Structure formats: structure tokens, C-alpha cells
Amino acid sequence: VSPSAAPAELLLSAELVLSGERFRVVYTLAGEEAAAHRQADAICVEQTVEFPADLLPAGPISDGIVGHLEAFARADAGHWTATVSYAVEIAGDELTQLLNVVFGNISIMPGIRVERLELPDALLAAYRGPRFGRAGLRELLDVPARPLVCTALKPLGLSPAQLAELAYQYALGGVDLIKDDHGLADQPFCRYEERVARCAEAVARGNAETGRRCLYLPNVTAPADRLLGHARFARDAGAGGLLIAPGLVGFDEVRRLAADDRLALPILSHPALLGSFVVHPDLGMSHYALFGQIARLAGADACIFPNYGGRFSFARQDCRRLAQGTAAPLGALRPIFPVPAGGMTLERVAEMRAFYGDDLILLIGGNLHRQPEGLVAACRRFVALVSE
Amino acid sequence: VSPSAAPAELLLSAELVLSGERFRVVYTLAGEEAAAHRQADAICVEQTVEFPADLLPAGPISDGIVGHLEAFARADAGHWTATVSYAVEIAGDELTQLLNVVFGNISIMPGIRVERLELPDALLAAYRGPRFGRAGLRELLDVPARPLVCTALKPLGLSPAQLAELAYQYALGGVDLIKDDHGLADQPFCRYEERVARCAEAVARGNAETGRRCLYLPNVTAPADRLLGHARFARDAGAGGLLIAPGLVGFDEVRRLAADDRLALPILSHPALLGSFVVHPDLGMSHYALFGQIARLAGADACIFPNYGGRFSFARQDCRRLAQGTAAPLGALRPIFPVPAGGMTLERVAEMRAFYGDDLILLIGGNLHRQPEGLVAACRRFVALVSE
């Protein structure tokens, strides 16, 4: 048997035509300069052709498909900034493949961190982004200027009726957003559909008493064959938004929900299982890229993250950069709300407003249950603290 | 407005009934003993009720929903082993929620690594696991004992016709499995459907000449609303299996594909974007848990990972433990193939067989293009090397 074309001839005959439009990824590399420069060169190959560079003939693949190292410079002692550009056609219109090009294989190499994405309109055209964003969510809630106030239904272990009673009290207390705790899934002791129906009804009843527009956001994080059905059930039951953990289901599920005109609900993203991308400063992705840019590109309207000084480990500077990522220019995509959380208390509201400004969602859960005046009054105090 | 029940009364009235069946997660914690013990206690709360423990009254939630610290012991200098058990009802029958309980929020805390899962039959009953596994894939291929031989269609940038020509040559060379490079998605210069149709046809043509049963595995990693359609198209076009990157789409998409009786195709998982979970020894998950247990629980029949001594950073011991995870007892779930890859060469085949044994898939890509005898002959030599 004689093959009809030798592989080298195949490569030479590639008739690829590219637009010339490229997107850029800024990486921080840890290590010595020479090794970091070699790693930057390796990224250009690893994230694209994944093929021995010396076997690629001069031509459109080596010129256009292999990444270009656009810049390499010292960041600080032991860290280097490498800017790599990729043809927009490699990512196509797929968020899954964009993430793959940005960090797929090189996530397995130590010392590489995605610092930020620079995405041209030619790529962003494929992304609708957040349906509501900051302005749209404020309009839904009729809260033009102050921080929004959010709390969580918990603890896991309560029945749908008990959680609905909590939701009713939160709504009476005047909070803007009530989300499921992200551990509420579809447990035998608390089924998804019964919980969502009861809680949505309870919040509507609370709203009828207060005249306000509090939204209930059930957790739709679920197996692949149930997720969209959960979201549609939530919409039909009167839920006002959706909570989803992209670390558990993939960021593209956020995009699918955000783009669904039959849903048309605001989306709150939760950081579960995303921690390994950010906890080590020399690995993964920056807070800015992951919780700012990528969550927003996927279409989240607000992004929960663990605030500095809580139960988790984010530094103040991480949180500041993250918040910047929720609003920095990203084509025509709407700015979204940062939602610092994770052990926050009423005592910290003023400090958090000073740190983040008022384009902010404050999420306080367990601490509301600790207040001597009771839950409804504690919620009212929470709202009063952001209304001063 | 007077609320109908104070929150504390709600918690006291919880009428939860649990089976008593629990699953266990073994964590490795880095740090001083006292701090690690506090962290172990915190995990029990963080991964379940996420509620101030002192506000939980004695009762079924604090007894059954909060995790139990079953054991705490020194692992080595500066590392501690904490075994935490959780009620199986918390995870229900959802892989998404199981992963959330195992590592969702605590992924954001430094110094915690998931070492292994211990899952009872009461939980495993919800998982079908790998449809083929080692024995089933061997039967499909009619290769009873030697290592299986796999290669990849690449580089990105070739047209569907060019990739099909490569696939034909690989099939003529007698390899067992031909997978898409994981960077082949649905690019404008190489559309998914045309590529899959042409490559499946080319491999069938090659099989007709060789009399063998080489399988083509296209990459179905794709946006959430296209993935299942891609898989069905592949099956209808004659593809013999599927390649998917759970880091990009979520592990539950693997489970959905594996469980789909209309597909009934073997599944090869790719490690793209999973690296951040394993690259730092004090963070994320062990190679055993992630690439062994979880990939298998999801239903992958074979799991690609970067071998030691290649372009990536896994240590020999990581790879050994990973391979153990693909076959260690996990209820009735079938053992799956480890697929060490990432810059492997024909020169290393003997060494890899010695290290892993022959229940192994050897994946060599670019190196086959470097052989002076040409691609078809290089594939034949690859097969000969595993047949000795």
C-alpha cells in the first residue's frame, strides 16, 4: 500500500487563509529569564499546533496558526510578562475552545498564570455577554444608585417549606436578591422543583406586602441533562434570576443560559471549584481574568467571590483587580456586579462600600441570623446600611 | 408584619431523616497541626451547611448534614491527613453536586488537597461508569493483551481533507485509536462535521484494507448547546469513539455521553484546563483522585494525562498513583486505561511498558512524523513495539 501523500507534502500544501485578526493573552511566567522566554515560545506551539515546530514548513500554519510572542518583559523579581497573540479563527465562536487556547494544555505546566485577555471586536462579536449587567439589574430592582443587598437560603438540611419561610422573611426585610445556598441541589430531603416553587411563591408574597421587587435566584447547577430544564422550571415558577457555579458545569453553561431569550433572567455566578485556578499566585488565572473577564464574557450579570478578610484567602489587591475586571472595557459587553462574600458581616458594610464603591452587591448570609433583633429586622438594617 | 416562625425555631423543627450511609473524602492539609485541625473542622461546615456552627441547634442538621471528621493524623512533616464523611443524601445522584461537596468552596482555601474518595455502594448506585473500560475496549478492537496504540490528528490548520488523508495513513499503519487533536474544534477553516465525516470515512477505508478495527475518536468538546449534537453526528458518521475535555465542559458531560445508549461509544478524556487542580502538590486534587477516580466515575474509558519525562511536569510517583486510580476497586465500575502522553516517542515505548504494564494506551503524536521511514511505516513500527 502506498500512501497518496506524504505528511510533509500535506503540510506544505495547506491552503489556509486567515483574516489576520488576533486576540492576545498576557501571561505572567515565574522563573529565570532564559527559562521563562523558552516557556513563552513553547506556549505559542503548545496552545495551537501541539506539533514539533521544526517539522512545520514555512507557510500559513507556522505563520498564522502558531501563536506569536508579541512581547516579553520583566514584571518583577522572578516574574516575566509574555504577551501571546492567536488567530481569532482558532477560537472560532466557541467559549470552550477560547478557554482551551488561552490555558488548556499549559494549565498543566507550573509557573504560568493568565493575567488578562485582550479580545478584539472580531472575536467579541460571537458573545452577547451579560443580558442585564449593572444597569439592567438596577432597573429590574428599581434601585438606581445604592449597593444591592443579597442574602442566601441556608442551611442545607431544611425542607422546601422551611426554606420558603426563610425566603419570606428575607423578602419582608426588604433585601434585593435571595439566592439559594450553592449546596442546595436536588437532594431527596429538599427536591429542586418543590423548593423553587415554594420559595418563588414566598418571595412574591413578601413583595406583595412590601411593594418591592425582591428577586429569588435558585441554584440551577445540575447534571448536564437537567440544567436547562431546571432553569426553565425556575422561570415558569416565578424565580427572578439564576445561580450557577461554572466551575462545576463549565463556563459555557453560563453563556447558554444568558443567551436564552426564553429565560431572559439575570445570572449570578458562584466560585465553587474555581479556587484552584486562583489560590496560588504563580498558577492558574488572575482574579481579574477569571472572575472579571471570563465570567462576564460568559454572560454572568454578577460574580460572587470570597472577599478579603473573610473565611477565604483573597488579598485586598486581588479583590480590587477583580472588581476592575467586572467593569473594564470589553467591547460592547455590559459591566457586571462584583459580589464579595464568604463570611461577611453587617459590621463590614461601610468598609466594603468604601473599598468597592457603590456599584456592588453585598452578600451576607449566616451573619443575619446572628442579630439580636431577629431576621426581618436584621435584613432591614442591612438595607438601611447601604441606603445611608 | 410579624414573621410566622423565628429562624432558630425553623432550625429546631427540622425533621430531616437520613439513611446513615456516608461517603468519605481523604484530604491532605498543609501547615501546623493545630491550624490543620481547625481547617479540618472548618471543612465539615464549609462543604455542607456553610452556616455558623454555633447557631445550629443540636439535631439532625448538626448531626447528619455537617461533615464528620472521622480521622486526623500526621502524613509527613508539615502535612496532615483528614478524613471527612458526608451523608450520601447531600450529593444525591448528581456528579456536579458530589464534586461540589468534595471540593467546591474549599478549592478557594490554600493548603487543601483531595487525596482520594471512598464511595459506598449507596452512592455508586447512581453511576453507571465506563461503558467499555479496559476489557470492553480490548474486545471492540480485538486486541486481547498488548498495549493499545493511539495517535492524534494534527496540526491544527490542516483542512478536513488533509486530516482525513493523515487518518487514512494512520489506519493503514495499523494503530488502534486515532483521536482528533484536542485543539480541533469547529474552526472556519476546518468545520467539525466535514472533518468528522471525512476522517471516519478515511479510517473505514483504511480498515477495509488492513482488516483491522481502528477507531476514530473526534473531539466533541464544544459549547453546551452543541456538544450532544456533535456526539450524535459522530456516531452517525461512523466514528468509533469520542474525545472530550471535562475541564472545559464539566465532568458531568462525560457522564452524560457515557450513559447515552443511543451513542454507546468509548470515551477518551483529555486533561485540558485540568492542570491547575494537580500542578501544586499542596493544592487541588491528587492525580489518583482526579484522573483516576473522578474520570472513571464520570464514565471515561481511558484517561489521557501528561507522562513523566515529557513536556509537562508530572512526577513518576504521580503517574504511578494515577494509573492505580484507574483500576483500584470502585464498586462495580470497570477499570479504565491510563493514557500517558505529552511528547512521548517510539524510543520510550519499552520503558513505559515496564513502568505501567501492558494495560495501557500509548499515545504518540508528533514523534511519528519525525521517523525517516515515513508515517505508515512508523505506525507499523509503533504497533510492532507493543507486540513484542
Side-chain angles (χ1 to χ4, degrees), chain A:
Chain A
V1 177
S2 158
S4 56
E9 291 165 26
L10 275 183
L11 293 173
L12 279 168
S13 73
E15 288 173 11
L16 184 68
V17 177
L18 298 171
S19 65
E21 292 271 7
R22 301 178 74 82
F23 68 96
R24 297 150 71 102
V25 183
V26 179
Y27 300 100
T28 301
L29 309 179
E32 297 296 316
E33 179 169 13
H37 206 295
R38 280 195 304 276
Q39 192 168 41
D41 288 330
I43 287 171
C44 297
V45 173
E46 189 67 48
Q47 296 305 95
T48 56
V49 291
E50 221 189 322
F51 197 80
D54 63 298
L55 295 183
L56 280 178
I61 293 180
S62 59
D63 290 350
I65 298 288
V66 173
H68 298 175
L69 180 56
E70 305 279 357
F72 183 88
R74 183 177 181 278
D76 60 35
H79 291 92
W80 309 87
T81 300
T83 304
V84 178
S85 76
Y86 304 99
V88 294
E89 288 88 349
I90 299 179
D93 64 351
E94 301 181 333
L95 179 56
T96 42
Q97 172 63 2
L98 175 63
L99 294 175
N100 183 41
V101 176
V102 168
F103 200 53
N105 266 14
I106 56 173
S107 72
I108 315 170
M109 293 175 169
I112 303 176
R113 187 159 173 104
V114 175
E115 206 58 45
R116 67 175 183 277
L117 315 180
E118 297 177 2
L119 306 176
D121 291 342
L123 190 144
L124 287 171
Y127 296 87
R128 175 168 183 162
R131 181 181 288 263
F132 296 90
R134 293 182 182 178
L137 194 50
R138 286 192 175 284
E139 194 174 343
L140 270 185
L141 292 164
D142 194 22
V143 177
R146 64 162 171 80
L148 303 182
V149 163
C150 180
T151 189
L153 293 174
K154 57 170 78 172
L156 182 67
L158 294 182
S159 69
Q162 292 170 317
L163 291 168
E165 175 58 31
L166 275 185
Y168 174 65
Q169 296 189 28
Y170 288 145
L172 284 186
V175 304
D176 301 304
L177 305 164
I178 302 170
K179 73 168 190 71
D180 277 351
D181 207 23
H182 78 289
L184 302 180
D186 184 26
Q187 284 94 356
F189 52 80
C190 186
R191 287 292 174 199
Y192 175 82
E193 295 197 352
E194 185 186 351
R195 177 177 85 247
V196 173
R198 283 182 181 265
C199 290
E201 184 277 329
V203 172
R205 194 156 32 89
N207 281 339
E209 296 192 39
T210 63
R212 301 195 67 258
R213 302 186 190 169
C214 173
L215 303 179
Y216 166 54
L217 296 88
N219 176 29
V220 298
T221 307
D225 43 2
R226 300 180 193 169
L227 197 157
L228 187 59
H230 276 6
R232 290 187 172 150
F233 180 88
R235 195 266 328 263
D236 293 344
L242 306 170
L243 177 79
I244 187 166
L248 295 166
V249 298
F251 271 100
D252 197 69
E253 288 284 9
V254 181
R255 184 204 55 77
R256 177 165 68 148
L257 295 180
D260 190 328
D261 291 332
R262 291 170 55 192
L263 292 173
L265 291 173
I267 294 173
L268 182 56
S269 77
H270 188 281
L273 211 65
L274 289 176
S276 298
F277 288 110
V278 294
V279 283
H280 192 292
D282 289 348
L283 302 173
M285 305 190 194
S286 72
H287 303 72
Y288 178 94
L290 184 66
F291 293 109
Q293 295 187 298
I294 293 173
R296 189 171 162 205
L297 188 64
D301 296 288
C303 183
I304 301 174
F305 62 94
N307 195 30
Y308 65 89
R311 296 196 307 272
F312 298 86
S313 64
F314 286 18
R316 289 170 65 97
Q317 180 58 15
D318 297 334
C319 294
R320 195 186 306 277
R321 286 287 294 153
L322 188 161
Q324 288 168 356
T326 64
L330 191 66
L333 271 60
R334 296 176 173 85
I336 66 175
F337 280 107
V339 190
M344 294 302 101
T345 62
L346 293 177
E347 288 66 33
R348 290 193 59 185
V349 168
E351 171 218 332
M352 292 168 73
R353 290 178 71 182
F355 185 83
Y356 290 104
D358 277 358
D359 267 333
L360 178 69
I361 298 179
L362 287 160
L363 169 52
I364 298 180
N367 183 254
L368 293 177
H369 293 256
R370 199 182 280 292
Q371 306 306 318
E373 68 261 50
L375 194 58
V376 175
C379 290
R380 288 181 182 147
R381 185 149 64 89
F382 188 8
V383 177
L385 283 169
V386 298
S387 306
E388 286 165 1

Side-chain angles (χ1 to χ4, degrees), chain A residues 5 46 54 169 224 252 311, chain B residues 4-5 46 169 224 252 311 370:
Chain A
E46 189 67 48
D54 63 298
Q169 296 189 28
D252 197 69
R311 296 196 307 272
Chain B
S4 56
E46 188 68 48
Q169 296 189 30
D252 197 70
R311 296 195 307 274
R370 199 183 281 290

Side-chain angles (χ1 to χ4, degrees), chain B residues 2-75:
Chain B
S2 159
S4 56
E9 291 165 26
L10 275 182
L11 293 172
L12 280 169
S13 73
E15 288 173 11
L16 185 68
V17 177
L18 298 170
S19 66
E21 292 273 4
R22 303 179 72 84
F23 67 97
R24 297 151 69 101
V25 183
V26 179
Y27 299 100
T28 301
L29 309 179
E32 297 296 318
E33 179 169 13
H37 206 296
R38 279 196 303 274
Q39 192 168 42
D41 288 330
I43 288 171
C44 297
V45 172
E46 188 68 48
Q47 296 305 95
T48 56
V49 292
E50 221 191 320
F51 196 80
D54 63 298
L55 296 184
L56 281 177
I61 294 181
S62 59
D63 290 349
I65 298 288
V66 173
H68 298 175
L69 181 57
E70 305 278 357
F72 182 88
R74 182 176 181 280

